[in-house]
Amino acid sequence: MKSEPDVFGLDDLVNAVNKTTTWEGVRNYEARNFMRDQMKVGDGILFYHSNSKPPHVAGTATVASKSYPDPSQFDPSSDYFDKKATKDAPIWYLVDVKYESTFPEPIVRAILQDDPICGEMMLFKRNRLSITPVTSEEWLAVHQLAGVKPKR
DNA sequence: GCCAACGTTGGC
DNA sequence: GCCAACGTTGGC
C-alpha cells in the first residue's frame, strides 16, 4: 500500500491511536477491489512511501479489519465526499491498517526493481495504482533484502 | 518541473 | 458507445 510520507507515513501509523488507521480516500476501483475482495484480517502489508526521494518500502503493517464502507464518502465536508454514494449503496470501501514493523533500512524502489523476484511485483507494472497485491514469494524476497525474518 | 501512464468526464 | 479533453499519480 502506497502513501506519501508528507501526508501519512509509517511514522504517523506508529503514532496513531492503537497504531491503527482507516485507509480512507481510495477512489480507484481496482485498488478498492483489492481491499474489498482480497484482503483478510492478518494479511501482511508492505508500507510503501511514494513521492519520496527515493521512493521506498519503509516497513510492514497488517490488515486489521474486514473491509467496510469508507465513511468519508458520506461526509460533505471531506475531500473524499462522493455525492453518488449512499449508506444503502456505498461505492468506496476500506480496511483498517495496523503498524507491524519498520525495516532497519528502507528498501528503495531501484533495489527492489533490480531484484529478480521483487522486480516482478505488480507495483512496477501498474505504476499509478496505490494498492497492488504482493505474492508470498515477493513478500519473502523483500524481507530478504531487508535482512529481516518475515513474521508470516 | 517535466512528462508518461492512465482513469474519468462529458459531448455527440 | 466512442473518443477527445482533461486531471491525477508518481517516478525521474
Side-chain angles (χ1 to χ4, degrees), chain A residues 12 41 54 66 71 88 92 104 110 120 126 134 139:
Chain A
D12 295 306
V41 173
K66 291 200 228 181
D88 286 339
W92 306 108
E120 294 301 308
R126 302 297 309 284
V134 175
W139 175 265

Side-chain angles (χ1 to χ4, degrees), chain A residues 64-82:
Chain A
S65 75
K66 291 200 228 181
S67 64
Y68 60 94
D70 180 341
S72 67
Q73 71 194 300
F74 308 123
D75 176 4
S77 69
S78 168
D79 285 346
Y80 304 124
F81 179 63
D82 186 336

